Amino acid sequence: MSDALIELDKVSHYYGARRKQFLAVQDVRLKIHEGEFVALLGPSGCGKSTLLRIVAGLTAPSEGRVLYRGRPLRGINPHATIVFQTFALFPWLTVLENVEVVLRARHVPEKLARMRALDLLDKVGLDGFETAYPRELSGGMRQKAGFARAMAVSPELLCLDEPFSALDVLSAEALRTELIGLWTGGGMPTKAILMVTHNIEEAVYMADRIVIMDKDPGRVITGFAVDLRRPRFRKGTAFLEIVDRVYTTMAGQTQPEHIELGAAPGGEGRLRLLPEVHINDIEGLMEYLVQAPGPHMDIYRLADEFKLDSDHMLLLTEAAELLGFATIAQGDITLTQLGETFAEAGVAARKAIFALRLRRLPLVRWLLDKLREAERQQTHWSDITAELEREILAEEIERQMQIAVDWGRYAELLAYDDAKEMLYLEPAGAPAG
Ligand code: ADP
Ligand code: MG
């Protein structure tokens, strides 16, 4: 017997063909009970959408069991509906028709379908826009129509995949409040909500419980209840304490003593992926930290100050750590001696420091070695990416190479000709000493 609405039992999922299998989520156990609003929180690529698809029965897990009210789930989960980041409305139907069509597909009689659709549109705050077409609506209003449509089928389990992330700040906040109002006010037939997000504040604002995931491989690392009364205030002390705790959990994965640089392609062990961050942002962060009043800076405050979302902020702090410019512990970032020197240096010295650190990163070192061994110390982009196919998932290769080349160019270790797609070794990229 299971008292949960849905239960994932040791669920793992692989993508890709046999020899290039990629473990997207590993050994996930998760239970969601009636009455719960659970947020699944983690960085991009940690497998949140994959888990949501598994819960909705759109993807069958490679390993493990999915139980719905204690029974094994086979095929599409008829009790769950997913709302995606941008909801696909039929452009040729009005808002009202877009909701009605779902009800009619479920054989709800015409008159009743109209009444229910009107009621739902009223609930999500689209009263007066029934006859508008999707193109006439703002992003926020379209997403409201999307919610109305998802709720038209009265799902027991409402699954939300970053439903607010494509909206502007004000619309997102309005819609969050609206959804919470519906949920707590009993205006929904829904028994539980599972929301995927990479936004820490959003999770703390909305959920009763937060489940935190991490990547490489995607897995659940911890979870805890959010014991805050509603309505919640983002600037409240209790609220900020929980946000801080989540940041601590998510950013505090590595110890300053042994920053894992990973292995080079073809070497033993796992290749560590480079965080997708621009040099300008790293420079900005260093300049900010060097002027900060104290040695430690709370990463959450920093994100707030920089107006960056948590996902981006974590990538940025990861990059700073990887480069040896800062250390991260307990949700705080601390500038190292090197980071301080970098921040206070002029352009040329910055580039030299950066080059020094870049050469330590296995992926960059490997790239430079390839160039050095190549004829005339140059090689075509595609030759390099081809070699990485054994190591990195196809869609990640281009991005990794772009970051490596972007950073390498800044450090003047290599040059790149966009038109010819050729990479060249620069004098500074030759072995030091
Ligand atoms: P999230 O939603 O947390 O960003 P996803 O569940 O979308 O993560 O993806 C998890 C990992 O699986 C990522 O590395 C992603 O690139 C990979 N992935 C997702 N879908 C596929 C797919 N259809 N084929 C291959 N890899 C995939
Ligand atoms: Mg996703």
Side-chain angles (χ1 to χ4, degrees):
M1 271 299 288
S2 167
D3 52 348
L5 196 57
I6 190 133
E7 176 175 359
L8 303 186
D9 183 24
K10 293 169 84 175
V11 161
S12 296
H13 193 69
Y14 297 87
Y15 285 111
R18 212 155 267 219
R19 305 195 72 226
K20 265 172 58 177
Q21 274 197 341
F22 169 76
L23 178 58
V25 288
Q26 184 180 44
D27 214 11
V28 170
R29 293 163 204 258
L30 180 68
K31 279 187 186 179
I32 296 166
H33 301 89
E34 266 191 39
E36 272 194 311
F37 187 139
V38 176
L40 209 54
L41 180 68
S44 307
C46 72
K48 302 181 297 293
S49 295
T50 301
L51 280 186
L52 211 60
R53 291 178 60 84
I54 289 172
V55 163
L58 299 172
T59 300
S62 313
E63 287 163 17
R65 293 191 312 160
V66 184
L67 303 175
Y68 196 86
R69 291 194 184 279
R71 300 230 172 91
L73 180 68
R74 290 204 182 77
I76 299 229
N77 185 343
H79 311 287
T81 299
I82 300 192
V83 175
F84 295 99
Q85 194 177 68
T86 48
F87 207 89
L89 296 172
F90 298 121
W92 59 88
L93 297 180
T94 65
V95 167
L96 180 62
E97 287 163 348
N98 260 290
V99 180
E100 275 177 328
V101 76
V102 183
L103 293 162
R104 297 290 289 139
R106 298 215 155 190
H107 312 293
V108 176
E110 203 176 316
K111 278 226 174 88
L112 190 58
R114 169 135 312 184
M115 267 172 52
R116 294 235 319 248
L118 285 170
D119 181 45
L120 282 164
L121 289 171
D122 193 23
K123 275 191 180 138
V124 298
L126 277 180
D127 198 15
F129 290 90
E130 295 86 354
T131 57
Y133 285 89
R135 64 170 182 278
E136 301 172 62
L137 303 181
S138 67
M141 288 161 101
R142 274 203 290 271
Q143 199 68 343
K144 283 184 182 181
F147 274 110
R149 202 161 94 160
M151 283 181 311
V153 301
S154 307
E156 271 191 334
L157 178 61
L158 182 62
C159 298
L160 309 172
D161 195 346
E162 313 218 3
F164 311 108
S165 61
L167 303 177
D168 62 90
V169 178
L170 290 181
S171 316
E173 194 63 1
L175 201 48
R176 282 182 198 115
T177 309
E178 207 125 17
L179 179 65
I180 287 296
L182 279 175
W183 167 244
T184 53
M188 294 165 94
T190 298
K191 299 273 198 299
I193 300 181
L194 176 60
M195 179 179 76
V196 155
T197 180
H198 65 250
N199 183 319
I200 295 176
E201 297 79 41
E202 179 174 293
V204 178
Y205 183 64
M206 300 188 78
D208 302 312
R209 183 154 63 91
I210 297 181
V211 173
I212 300 179
M213 296 182 70
D214 198 9
K215 59 183 174 177
D216 301 319
R219 64 204 188 281
V220 170
I221 51 173
T222 183
F224 50 81
V226 181
D227 291 319
L228 293 174
R229 266 183 298 146
R230 302 182 202 273
R232 295 177 178 169
F233 299 102
R234 286 173 185 270
K235 299 290 171 203
T237 318
F239 188 95
L240 291 175
E241 268 169 16
I242 295 181
V243 169
D244 199 47
R245 181 167 162 204
V246 179
Y247 260 101
T248 304
T249 312
M250 291 179 75
Q253 299 300 320
T254 54
Q255 293 300 315
E257 302 86 60
H258 57 94
I259 296 158
E260 295 164 29
L261 294 177
E268 300 244 329
R270 229 154 33 80
L271 179 71
R272 174 158 182 181
L273 297 182
L274 303 175
E276 191 177 4
V277 166
H278 289 291
I279 315 282
N280 281 345
D281 293 344
I282 299 175
E283 290 186 307
L285 177 66
M286 291 302 118
E287 283 162 18
Y288 183 87
L289 288 176
V290 84
Q291 290 173 28
H296 311 297
M297 182 93 192
D298 197 89
I299 297 178
Y300 166 56
R301 297 266 143 69
L302 207 56
D304 201 35
E305 202 98 27
F306 272 54
K307 307 261 177 295
L308 280 181
D309 73 23
S310 44
D311 209 29
H312 194 168
M313 193 68 230
L314 290 176
L315 284 179
L316 197 52
T317 55
E318 184 190 337
E321 186 183 45
L322 201 58
L323 291 162
F325 293 172
T327 56
I328 292 163
Q330 278 91 53
D332 282 346
I333 183 165
T334 309
L335 213 54
T336 60
Q337 198 72 50
L338 186 71
E340 212 174 299
T341 311
F342 178 85
E344 285 165 350
V347 181
R350 275 192 188 182
K351 284 181 183 235
I353 295 171
F354 202 79
L356 200 71
R357 303 306 292 191
L358 268 196
R359 282 213 217 86
R360 292 188 57 218
L361 303 184
L363 182 65
V364 175
R365 203 170 51 215
W366 173 84
L367 181 60
L368 295 175
D369 282 345
K370 287 279 152 208
L371 281 170
R372 199 174 312 121
E373 287 159 16
E375 199 177 325
R376 306 219 313 270
Q377 308 203 315
Q378 52 179 271
T379 181
H380 197 264
W381 174 272
S382 61
D383 292 336
I384 295 286
T385 54
E387 287 212 39
L388 287 173
E389 268 166 23
R390 267 170 273 134
E391 309 276 338
I392 315 178
L393 204 68
E395 56 250 49
E396 190 65 42
I397 294 176
E398 286 284 318
R399 202 167 355 147
Q400 283 298 306
M401 277 292 287
Q402 257 152 24
I403 304 165
V405 168
D406 184 36
W407 290 10
R409 273 169 138 180
Y410 170 84
E412 297 177 8
L413 294 174
L414 51 83
Y416 179 65
D417 182 331
D418 284 292
K420 296 196 189 126
E421 300 197 339
M422 287 295 289
L423 283 160
Y424 309 88
L425 191 70
E426 290 269 36

